[in-house]
């Protein structure tokens, strides 16, 4: 839905949509398994029936977005997530039996009933708009909710397309998309949703959480940070570089779970650089190729240029993996390694969100643990080693949102693993069963038996009550 910029109009449209969805939820009641399955299939149909238009819209938003990356990371992944949800949905919806203390409540029953929260709000970023929007919608619809989705201002073409298409698949009382015009995000965050999920930067996440707090709206925040990798001496350098550099060039590094910096043993630093240079020469010989995605906008491009300039001026060594310089006209930025960076440089203190990789050296695993643990908890962590004890040491001592062992990024693509940050990298989870739980209220229900011994524990208390309480005290001590 395209909304005019006037704040009063924006606020009115958003509140009207929320009221309609609430009224629809109340009138409809709790959705059946068949209804939820139908909505999930409609989500998938919206993607598959309009695949080429979606690819084109995302490409226009980026200036150049690799078609293969859109297919892999957006279309295929979102549909696979919906398929996985469909397979598990009936099991997730089952009423759960829970233990009853029959010494106190003989004959009673405890149950947990998953029920929809109501109307949920989703704030979607520009970097993987289809993947993130539809995987979150899959979880919300599996739980039986209605949804309002606010897209990014950098996804203008895609937002307009989704706003046009959604009416062919859903009533606005079930699902509504909103385009960002500069004021929508602020008003959207202030709506009294039953749950609000935000994906984006930590700074914006703080503002979203503050706005939601005024309505006591629970939030799930999927943020970012600086996600590290560490390569142990026993792990083949060629394989480590292949996996890290593939992820680093994917979407031109514009991924919240991308490798931000990598620790290499001090004896293997030059080996890493040589191997990475060879990889880039083979796989990314021309940054102007349609296979290599552009930086999303001029502001983001300038930020990357400024980060590299700042680091270089303060003594860092900058290695461009190729002969081509960054091109402001096409917003293509080459794979770049930065060595000898420190906390006085922007590159060390801010999330990179681009094809820039900081290279750091270490002499002992403890040094890696100390460095990462002294900073905000990252969204992801990537240890490379065949030594299981070393891997477990890192996992036990470095807290992060998620982990991929001997690879990077791909824990995010596992549909039955929860995804989410910790500390400064976010709160809450989605994907799989955890996504269903995020958008559900697990209602505890106690069914009292026809007869209850509690009737003997009413005043005035007598000797029987004394004996009963003494017995209960003894068996629970």
């Amino acid at each position: 839905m395209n909304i005019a910029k006037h704040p009063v109009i924006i606020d009115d449209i958003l509140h009207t949509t929320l009221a309609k969805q609430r009224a629809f939820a109340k009138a409809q009641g709790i959705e059946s398994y068949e209804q939820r399955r139908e909505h999930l299939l409609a989500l998938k149909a919206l993607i598959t029936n309009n695949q080429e238009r979606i690819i084109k819209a995302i490409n226009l938003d980026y200036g150049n977005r690799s078609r293969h990356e859109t297919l892999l990371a957006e279309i295929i992944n979102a549909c696979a997530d919906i398929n996985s949800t469909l397979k598990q949905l009936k099991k997730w919806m089952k009423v759960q039996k829970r233990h009853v203390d029959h010494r106190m409540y003989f004959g009673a029953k405890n149950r947990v009933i998953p029920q929809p929260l109501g109307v949920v709000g989703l704030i979607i970023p520009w970097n993987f708009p289809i993947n993130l929007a539809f995987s979150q919608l899959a979880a919300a619809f599996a739980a039986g909710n209605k949804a309002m989705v606010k897209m990014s201002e950098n996804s203008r073409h895609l937002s307009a397309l989704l706003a046009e298409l959604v009416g062919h698949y859903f009533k606005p009382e079930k699902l509504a998309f909103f385009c960002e015009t500069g004021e929508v995000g602020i008003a959207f965050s202030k709506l009294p949703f039953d749950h609000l999920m935000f994906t984006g930067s930590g700074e914006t996440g703080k503002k979203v959480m503050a706005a939601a707090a005024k309505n006591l709206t629970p939030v799930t925040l999927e943020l970012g940070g600086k996600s590290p990798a560490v390569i142990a001496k026993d792990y083949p350098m060629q394989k480590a570089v292949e996996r890290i550099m593939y992820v680093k060039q994917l979407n031109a590094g514009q991924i919240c779970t991308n490798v931000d910096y990598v620790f290499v043993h001090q004896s293997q630093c030059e080996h890493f650089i040589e191997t990475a240079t060879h990889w880039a020469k083979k796989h990314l010989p021309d940054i102007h190729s349609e296979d290599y995605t552009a930086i999303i906008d001029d502001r983001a491009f300038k930020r990357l240029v400024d980060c590299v300039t700042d680091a270089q001026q303060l003594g860092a060594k900058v290695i461009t993996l190729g002969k081509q310089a960054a091109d402001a006209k096409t917003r293509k930025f080459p794979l770049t390694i930065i060595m000898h960076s420190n906390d006085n440089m922007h590159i060390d203190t801010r999330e990179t969100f681009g094809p820039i990789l900081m290279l750091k050296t270490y002499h002992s695993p403890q040094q890696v643990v100390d460095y990462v643990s002294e900073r905000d908890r990252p969204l992801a962590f990537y240890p490379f080693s065949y030594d299981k004890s070393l891997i477990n040491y890192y996992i036990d001592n470095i807290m992060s949102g998620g982990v991929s062992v001997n690879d990077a990024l791909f824990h995010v693509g596992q549909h039955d693993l929860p995804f989410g940050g910790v500390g400064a990298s976010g709160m809450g989870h989605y994907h799989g069963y955890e996504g269903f739980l995020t958008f559900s209220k697990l209602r505890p229900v106690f069914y009292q038996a026809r007869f209850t011994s509690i009737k003997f524990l009413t005043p005035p208390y007598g000797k029987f009550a004394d004996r009963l309480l003494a017995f209960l005290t003894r068996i629970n001590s």
Side-chain angles (χ1 to χ4, degrees):
M1 185 179 297
N2 286 299
I3 304 178
K5 284 191 175 183
H6 196 284
V8 175
I9 297 175
I10 292 170
D11 200 57
D12 182 60
I13 292 175
L14 290 173
H15 276 90
T16 298
T17 304
L18 177 60
K20 287 181 178 179
Q21 291 201 352
R22 283 203 191 285
F24 182 57
K26 182 179 179 180
Q28 183 188 44
I30 294 177
E31 292 181 359
S32 65
Y33 165 77
E34 288 73 21
Q35 287 174 311
R36 299 184 198 194
R37 185 175 184 277
E38 180 183 339
H39 291 141
L40 288 167
L41 290 172
L43 277 180
K44 188 169 69 167
L46 196 161
I47 299 173
T48 55
N49 294 348
N50 302 282
Q51 176 178 302
E52 292 306 316
R53 296 183 70 186
I54 289 171
I55 292 172
K56 181 179 178 181
I58 294 175
N59 186 63
L60 288 171
D61 286 329
Y62 269 85
N64 178 69
R65 202 330 169 64
S66 165
R67 173 184 174 82
H68 295 82
E69 291 180 358
T70 299
L71 282 168
L72 174 64
E74 305 268 22
I75 306 295
I76 294 172
N77 203 59
C79 290
D81 187 83
I82 294 170
N83 288 338
S84 178
T85 299
L86 284 164
K87 289 178 182 178
Q88 304 292 328
L89 180 58
K90 189 171 287 187
K91 180 174 68 174
W92 294 348
M93 289 178 64
K94 285 183 178 179
V95 175
Q96 304 170 19
K97 294 181 179 180
R98 295 296 177 91
H99 173 73
V100 179
D101 185 348
H102 288 295
R103 295 170 299 186
M104 285 283 287
Y105 307 102
F106 182 78
K109 296 186 298 184
N110 282 335
R111 299 290 185 266
V112 172
I113 305 175
Q115 293 185 335
L117 294 173
V119 180
V120 300
L122 308 176
I123 300 178
I124 306 299
W126 52 263
N127 60 333
F128 292 103
I130 290 294
N131 184 344
L132 294 170
F134 283 78
S135 61
Q136 292 174 27
L137 283 170
F141 283 5
N145 296 285
K146 321 308 173 199
M148 295 170 60
V149 184
K150 203 286 292 185
M151 303 297 289
S152 168
E153 62 183 341
N154 279 328
S155 298
R156 293 184 186 277
H157 294 90
L158 178 65
S159 299
L161 176 62
L162 292 176
E164 172 197 335
L165 294 174
V166 66
H168 298 292
Y169 299 86
F170 296 96
K171 295 179 179 178
E173 292 85 357
K174 175 65 179 182
L175 174 61
F177 282 94
F178 296 90
C179 307
E180 178 59 78
T181 59
E183 301 287 344
V184 180
I186 299 170
F188 195 90
S189 301
K190 294 179 180 179
L191 293 174
F193 291 112
D194 296 299
H195 194 96
L196 178 61
M197 177 174 282
F198 167 81
T199 307
S201 72
E203 286 305 309
T204 305
K206 292 176 184 178
K207 296 175 184 177
V208 169
M209 189 173 183
K214 294 180 180 179
N215 296 310
L216 294 180
T217 299
V219 296
T220 297
L221 301 179
E222 301 300 348
L223 308 177
K226 302 185 75 63
S227 297
V230 55
I231 305 171
K233 288 182 69 177
D234 73 290
Y235 196 84
M237 184 61 72
Q238 178 71 33
K239 187 177 291 187
V241 168
E242 285 176 358
R243 295 178 179 184
I244 291 173
M245 297 313 294
Y246 169 76
V247 169
K248 203 62 201 174
Q249 65 80 39
L250 186 67
N251 209 42
Q254 298 167 109
I255 309 173
C256 59
T257 47
N258 214 321
V259 181
D260 201 279
Y261 60 100
V262 57
F263 272 102
V264 178
H265 192 269
Q266 57 190 12
S267 65
Q268 297 181 315
C269 182
E270 290 303 319
H271 187 22
F272 179 92
I273 295 170
E274 291 172 3
T275 309
T277 302
H278 180 74
W279 188 95
K281 182 179 180 180
K282 178 181 179 181
H283 296 282
L284 193 59
D286 181 11
I287 63 173
H288 298 292
S289 165
E290 291 184 356
D291 290 335
Y292 189 52
T293 297
I295 303 303
I296 188 64
D297 60 21
D298 292 337
R299 183 175 61 179
F301 183 87
K302 184 178 184 301
R303 177 183 56 78
L304 293 174
V305 172
D306 290 347
C307 271
V308 172
T309 302
D310 171 76
Q312 199 162 28
Q313 290 176 346
L314 292 176
K317 181 179 180 181
V318 176
I319 303 171
T320 302
L321 300 182
K323 297 180 180 180
Q324 295 169 296
D327 187 335
K329 185 178 180 180
T330 60
R331 299 196 307 277
K332 293 297 186 80
F333 202 100
L335 285 168
T336 304
I337 291 177
I338 294 184
M339 297 177 61
H340 313 310
S341 61
N342 58 57
D343 288 342
N344 294 321
M345 303 172 187
H346 296 321
I347 196 71
D348 252 41
T349 56
R350 301 176 185 175
E351 184 178 8
T352 305
F353 222 71
I356 302 172
L357 179 66
M358 289 184 295
L359 178 61
K360 298 181 179 296
T361 60
Y362 73 98
H363 56 77
S364 70
Q366 184 63 51
Q367 184 183 7
V368 176
V369 169
D370 290 344
Y371 182 91
V372 180
S373 300
E374 289 169 1
R375 288 156 174 79
D376 287 339
R377 289 175 167 178
L379 183 55
F381 173 56
Y382 305 119
F384 288 78
S385 177
Y386 291 135
D387 184 340
K388 290 183 180 179
S389 62
L390 179 59
I391 292 296
N392 290 333
Y393 169 78
Y394 280 132
I395 292 174
D396 290 344
N397 289 279
I398 294 178
M399 174 56 72
S400 67
V403 180
S404 285
V405 176
N406 294 335
D407 213 326
L409 182 64
F410 292 114
H411 66 284
V412 180
Q414 310 311 306
H415 306 298
D416 201 28
L417 282 181
F419 173 76
V422 58
S425 59
M427 62 178 70
H429 295 91
Y430 69 108
H431 284 189
Y433 182 55
E434 283 72 18
F436 176 83
L437 293 180
T438 290
F439 293 111
S440 297
K441 166 59 183 175
L442 298 186
R443 292 189 72 184
V445 181
F446 170 73
Y447 296 88
Q448 181 61 282
R450 293 190 178 186
F451 171 82
T452 171
S453 59
I454 299 298
K455 66 179 292 184
F456 299 113
L457 292 176
T458 54
Y461 301 109
K463 291 183 178 180
F464 179 79
D466 290 340
R467 288 195 295 270
L468 180 58
L469 291 172
F471 169 73
L472 293 173
T473 300
R474 186 166 62 252
I475 64 174
N476 286 290
S477 298

